[in-house]
Amino acid sequence: MAENRVQHDHDQAELLPCVVDLYGGVSVNMEKPMDSTVFAPLLQASISQWREQGKKGIWIKLPIEQANLVEVAVKQGFRYHHAEPDYLMLVFWIPETTDTIPANASHRVGIGAFVMNSQREVLVVQENSGKFKGTSVWKLPTGVVDEGEDICPAAIREVKEETGIDTEFVEVLAFRQSHKSFFRKSDLFFVCLLRPHSFDIQKQDREIEAAKWMPIEDYAAQPFIRGHEIFNYIAKICIAKSEGEDYAGFVPLSTKTASGKTSYLYFNGDLKNQLISDNQKQKMPM
Amino acid sequence: MAENRVQHDHDQAELLPCVVDLYGGVSVNMEKPMDSTVFAPLLQASISQWREQGKKGIWIKLPIEQANLVEVAVKQGFRYHHAEPDYLMLVFWIPETTDTIPANASHRVGIGAFVMNSQREVLVVQENSGKFKGTSVWKLPTGVVDEGEDICPAAIREVKEETGIDTEFVEVLAFRQSHKSFFRKSDLFFVCLLRPHSFDIQKQDREIEAAKWMPIEDYAAQPFIRGHEIFNYIAKICIAKSEGEDYAGFVPLSTKTASGKTSYLYFNGDLKNQLISDNQKQKMPM
């Protein structure tokens, strides 16, 4: 009996350390360096035990410093799940049943900023690289939403970076979903209305060839805009918005999650005052 | 001279085949197997040449079958960019200037479906795994939008899969952006209004514990919904929508891109007829 226990403890020491997850799987984080010849038998023995224990999804996070272990994991049946600059996540589904491993992030998120002054002039730029380089098309300032960044501050940041103009976020006027825009990934592009608080353009040199205020009708009349269905629609939405207050976009409302994180909900701005007032009443003692 | 040319041709043969991109960089796709001892000097010589040529971002796509080459690339300065089940993309920025390598996909996209029948009952489910397991909370059917899938068919698909109910997509009522929901990734969750075309529930067993039609006020009155700011707001938006036609969400409009791909634009439904009619007039001969 005692011998059995020693044997058992000894076995435990020869397995990879892991933590269990809520979905019947386990995760291994290889934070420390290990020789691949040490890793291979450890991983094999661990998989055998996880299989006996009825575990499902097995995750291995390999920091880039442990790139020497990638080949071993792949040879033992792991596939890639996702990668970030500093690590690679691999996964292996043990059961014979259909794999319920969650998909990797699938979308990049971008913004286009519609900023108009009181003379009905819209803030536009020409880019000095990428597919618009040298086309002389005047376009709305656009940019990619950074990892962990909210759409509303991202729009303000991009306008400031590209043109030096200070703005306030008003609402999302429309959004477009497109596919295979970047490797196999999809793209969600939010057209945002911002109100300018400054008007003197200081263009950024790295990405921007030129920036100016342009009459909105001239912007919309550019052959490139008229010739592309989606740019044409977006221009018409911007014009409809500029002509009156009838077009309601989605406004952001900052909310707190149960874990205390901030999360924005975007919805038809016409309902905003009612929602906030309802919420305050609900919080008040009866 | 002749000898020089031979030498030159010989050098060329000892470099990795690559294609140039629009941004001053090159891409290498290692489709065929190669021994890592052959790859290492080839990569080193190639980097030297790309450096001399003033190349910027260098991309190497390693199919998972070539996992043996990952360590070599990392040792020569490459970092991970992204991974899919069947390949790993690595990148190396040669210049001393700031790297303008585009970011990896940052968001997962999910949908929640608001489906109501003529008795003001909403279609709700209880899940049998994940964080809602065993909580007895009745929630809207939700799901993840697949890679390459549009939001509107994804909502229809999830409702059909979870409950067997056939629906038609009406509009996006609201959306929420949250961060660090899955590894380091962010989440965009679209609340969609769908109109039911069938009413007999056939629940799916794998993910769903129970499904039913529930009076909308009972749904909104659940302590879990009332106790979470964002669920509470979403319930109130659904109720506002159910009580009249005043709340305009974003409707999808299918458009064609220049390359012939379909791409949906979502915007305030009140403007839809006007936009389509304008577009048709524009296409008609004067």
Side-chain angles (χ1 to χ4, degrees):
Chain A
M1 181 75 180
E3 206 174 88
N4 274 348
R5 221 165 72 204
V6 171
Q7 182 64 40
H8 182 70
D9 286 344
H10 180 70
D11 276 355
Q12 288 290 319
E14 297 295 327
L15 297 175
L16 291 168
C18 66
V19 294
V20 298
D21 64 33
L22 279 176
Y23 301 87
V26 302
S27 298
V28 176
N29 187 353
M30 295 298 297
E31 280 172 335
K32 291 183 186 154
M34 186 180 282
D35 195 274
S36 60
T37 57
V38 176
F39 181 62
L42 266 177
L43 181 58
Q44 196 166 18
S46 302
I47 292 173
S48 297
Q49 198 190 57
W50 293 324
R51 194 186 298 276
E52 276 175 35
Q53 292 171 342
K55 296 297 183 200
K56 294 177 182 172
I58 312 299
W59 300 84
I60 297 185
K61 182 177 179 176
L62 291 181
I64 196 164
E65 295 77 17
Q66 274 71 270
N68 61 314
L69 307 182
V70 176
E71 189 184 1
V72 172
V74 170
K75 279 188 175 160
Q76 296 198 18
F78 281 76
R79 64 170 175 83
Y80 303 143
H81 185 270
H82 69 275
E84 292 297 326
D86 57 340
Y87 75 85
L88 174 61
M89 184 70 79
L90 297 106
V91 70
F92 179 33
W93 182 253
I94 292 185
E96 311 249 315
T97 59
T98 312
D99 130 18
T100 58
I101 288 167
N104 193 355
S106 53
H107 286 65
R108 290 205 306 167
V109 177
I111 60 89
F114 175 55
V115 185
M116 199 174 75
N117 65 19
S118 57
Q119 287 87 53
R120 292 179 51 75
E121 290 172 326
V122 57
L123 184 62
V124 290
V125 299
Q126 288 184 342
E127 293 178 351
N128 63 18
S129 72
K131 64 178 174 182
F132 287 102
K133 180 180 177 178
T135 59
S136 76
V137 173
W138 291 101
K139 54 188 283 298
L140 303 182
T142 56
V144 174
V145 174
D146 288 337
E147 183 169 285
E149 188 180 31
D150 284 301
I151 291 163
C152 32
I156 293 169
R157 175 183 56 72
E158 284 288 348
V159 171
K160 180 72 178 174
E161 281 177 12
E162 295 193 354
T163 69
I165 299 294
D166 295 308
T167 57
E168 168 192 350
F169 189 89
V170 182
E171 61 187 12
V172 170
L173 295 178
F175 64 88
R176 184 205 59 185
Q177 187 187 21
S178 55
H179 303 296
K180 298 196 175 170
S181 65
F182 173 70
F183 300 110
R184 291 184 204 163
K185 297 302 181 181
S186 301
D187 197 272
L188 272 163
F189 177 79
F190 293 85
V191 181
C192 303
L193 174 67
L194 292 93
R195 188 176 295 129
H197 286 187
S198 72
F199 301 91
D200 287 338
I201 292 171
Q202 302 280 335
K203 87 168 179 73
Q204 180 217 55
D205 293 329
R206 190 163 55 89
E207 297 171 9
I208 303 300
E209 188 64 33
K212 67 172 182 180
W213 294 98
M214 184 183 205
I216 187 166
E217 282 74 16
D218 293 354
Y219 164 76
Q222 295 179 96
F224 178 86
I225 303 290
R226 287 174 62 96
H228 286 75
E229 202 174 9
I230 205 138
F231 288 103
N232 197 23
Y233 280 135
I234 290 172
K236 289 199 155 75
I237 292 168
C238 291
I239 288 176
K241 183 73 196 181
S242 76
E243 285 174 345
E245 290 300 314
D246 279 355
Y247 185 94
F250 280 3
V251 296
L253 179 63
S254 170
T255 68
K256 288 274 180 211
T257 65
S259 57
K261 287 190 292 186
T262 296
S263 181
Y264 280 99
L265 181 69
Y266 296 76
F267 59 97
N268 187 313
D270 291 345
L271 196 67
K272 186 167 180 177
N273 289 337
Q274 187 192 324
L275 271 200
I276 292 172
S277 128
D278 279 2
N279 200 41
Q280 280 163 349
K281 273 186 226 151
Q282 192 176 316
K283 281 182 182 163
M284 289 206 294
M286 306 289 259
Chain B
M1 181 73 181
E3 207 176 271
N4 273 347
R5 222 165 73 201
V6 171
Q7 180 63 40
H8 181 69
D9 287 344
H10 180 71
D11 276 357
Q12 288 290 321
E14 297 294 326
L15 297 175
L16 291 168
C18 65
V19 293
V20 299
D21 64 33
L22 280 175
Y23 301 88
V26 302
S27 298
V28 176
N29 186 354
M30 295 298 297
E31 281 172 334
K32 291 182 186 155
M34 187 180 281
D35 196 274
S36 60
T37 57
V38 176
F39 181 63
L42 266 177
L43 181 58
Q44 196 166 19
S46 302
I47 292 173
S48 296
Q49 199 191 56
W50 294 323
R51 193 186 299 274
E52 276 174 35
Q53 292 171 341
K55 296 297 182 200
K56 295 176 181 173
I58 311 299
W59 300 84
I60 297 184
K61 181 176 179 176
L62 291 180
I64 195 164
E65 295 77 17
Q66 274 71 271
N68 62 314
L69 307 182
V70 176
E71 188 183 4
V72 172
V74 169
K75 279 189 174 159
Q76 296 198 18
F78 282 76
R79 65 168 175 83
Y80 303 143
H81 184 270
H82 69 275
E84 292 299 325
D86 58 340
Y87 76 85
L88 174 62
M89 185 70 79
L90 296 106
V91 69
F92 178 34
W93 183 253
I94 293 185
E96 310 251 312
T97 59
T98 312
D99 133 18
T100 58
I101 288 166
N104 193 355
S106 53
H107 285 66
R108 289 205 307 166
V109 176
I111 60 89
F114 175 54
V115 185
M116 199 174 76
N117 65 20
S118 58
Q119 287 87 52
R120 291 178 53 75
E121 290 172 327
V122 57
L123 183 63
V124 291
V125 299
Q126 287 183 342
E127 293 178 351
N128 62 18
S129 72
K131 65 180 174 181
F132 287 101
K133 180 180 176 176
T135 59
S136 78
V137 173
W138 290 100
K139 56 188 280 298
L140 303 182
T142 55
V144 174
V145 174
D146 288 337
E147 182 169 285
E149 188 179 31
D150 284 301
I151 290 164
C152 31
I156 293 170
R157 175 183 57 72
E158 284 289 350
V159 171
K160 180 73 178 172
E161 281 177 11
E162 295 192 356
T163 69
I165 299 294
D166 295 308
T167 57
E168 167 193 351
F169 190 89
V170 182
E171 60 186 13
V172 170
L173 294 177
F175 65 87
R176 182 204 61 184
Q177 186 187 22
S178 56
H179 303 296
K180 297 195 177 171
S181 65
F182 172 71
F183 299 109
R184 290 184 204 163
K185 298 302 180 180
S186 300
D187 197 272
L188 271 163
F189 177 79
F190 292 85
V191 182
C192 302
L193 174 67
L194 292 93
R195 188 176 297 129
H197 285 188
S198 73
F199 301 91
D200 285 339
I201 292 171
Q202 303 279 337
K203 85 166 181 75
Q204 179 217 58
D205 293 331
R206 188 162 57 88
E207 296 171 9
I208 303 300
E209 187 65 33
K212 67 173 183 178
W213 294 99
M214 184 182 205
I216 187 166
E217 283 74 16
D218 294 356
Y219 164 77
Q222 295 179 96
F224 178 86
I225 303 290
R226 286 174 62 95
H228 286 76
E229 201 175 11
I230 206 139
F231 288 103
N232 196 25
Y233 281 134
I234 290 173
K236 288 200 156 73
I237 291 168
C238 291
I239 288 175
K241 183 73 197 180
S242 76
E243 286 174 345
E245 291 300 313
D246 278 356
Y247 185 93
F250 280 4
V251 296
L253 179 63
S254 171
T255 68
K256 289 273 180 211
T257 65
S259 57
K261 288 191 290 186
T262 297
S263 181
Y264 280 99
L265 181 68
Y266 296 77
F267 59 97
N268 187 312
D270 291 345
L271 196 66
K272 186 167 181 178
N273 289 338
Q274 187 191 323
L275 269 201
I276 292 173
S277 128
D278 279 2
N279 200 43
Q280 281 163 347
K281 272 185 226 155
Q282 193 174 317
K283 281 181 183 163
M284 290 206 291
M286 304 292 258

